[in-house]
Amino acid sequence: MSEPIWTAEEIQQKITGFLEPALRLARLQVEFEVLPANLDNDLITPDYIVDFRGRDVGLLLEQRGELLLALEQLTLEALRVSSDDRYRLIFDAEDYRLMRIEELRLAAETAAEQVKKSGSPYRFSPMSSRERRILHLALRNDPAVETVSEGVVPNRYTVIYVAKKKK
């Protein structure tokens, strides 16, 4: 992992400065904690996890975590985090994001097996760039398949193809 771009105190202060007023205005009864990410995961390697809990945490997780992801995106924009560093911070609640990453890994591996057997491409439903990235990373070491993102946002999706034979 590369050098952290913030200290724990700096990122806590920046996130708190943005999120607390936003959550208060939204009348969401949730608390959050910024934790160092000590994950044993080869697909994501964030420096920090912003972990939410509280009465309204279920609202953050509705519609496949849409509000959680929106808060993450708004926070990254407000903090002016560069596109190269956006993967170093992840928002989560009740381990939803970590379970979703594992779900995407399994879906990618299952789809890759199907592609290898049938020879036909497999197209996933449209998803966020972060989720598409997980699919690509999950199959990066499988020489029998290749992954490509196709389509236009917000309908961008990942396709798994049989790898072209190299000459």
Side-chain angles (χ1 to χ4, degrees):
M1 185 179 342
S2 56
E3 271 305 301
I5 56 175
W6 312 284
T7 66
E9 295 80 25
E10 288 172 331
I11 195 62
Q12 175 76 44
Q13 184 177 20
K14 289 176 185 242
I15 289 172
T16 299
F18 175 74
L19 271 183
E20 279 186 354
L23 294 170
R24 192 171 36 255
L25 285 169
R27 296 186 177 138
L28 286 170
Q29 293 185 17
V30 294
E31 300 84 43
F32 62 91
E33 185 176 10
V34 180
L35 305 167
N38 297 315
L39 302 177
D40 183 25
N41 189 314
D42 63 330
L43 298 182
I44 62 165
T45 55
D47 296 331
Y48 299 99
I49 295 176
V50 180
D51 188 42
F52 289 86
R53 64 196 170 290
R55 191 179 110 194
D56 290 339
V57 79
L59 294 173
L60 298 180
L61 300 178
E62 287 181 2
Q63 302 292 321
R64 296 182 71 173
E66 188 172 12
L67 184 54
L68 180 70
L69 296 174
L71 281 173
E72 180 180 83
Q73 182 67 29
L74 287 171
T75 303
L76 292 169
E77 290 293 329
L79 299 182
R80 296 187 175 142
V81 177
S82 73
S83 58
D84 291 341
D85 289 324
R86 289 186 178 233
Y87 298 103
R88 301 178 81 171
L89 182 66
I90 187 172
F91 281 31
D92 203 355
E94 298 178 355
D95 289 333
Y96 169 80
R97 293 288 295 281
L98 298 177
M99 289 187 292
R100 177 70 176 146
I101 289 164
E102 189 57 30
E103 178 185 324
L104 289 168
R105 175 202 304 270
L106 293 172
E109 290 170 356
T110 301
E113 289 306 314
Q114 181 180 330
V115 168
K116 289 183 232 180
K117 287 179 184 170
S118 71
S120 298
Y122 183 93
R123 286 172 179 73
F124 283 90
S125 298
M127 58 184 70
S128 71
S129 62
R130 283 192 173 203
E131 289 192 337
R132 290 192 317 274
R133 182 175 187 264
I134 298 298
L135 298 174
H136 294 297
L137 291 173
L139 299 175
R140 70 185 177 266
N141 295 324
D142 187 337
V145 296
E146 55 188 50
T147 60
V148 177
S149 287
E150 297 180 354
V152 178
V153 174
N155 296 312
R156 201 150 164 77
Y157 55 93
T158 300
V159 183
I160 302 173
Y161 293 97
V162 171
K164 296 176 182 151
K165 302 232 189 279
K166 296 181 180 177
K167 295 180 183 181

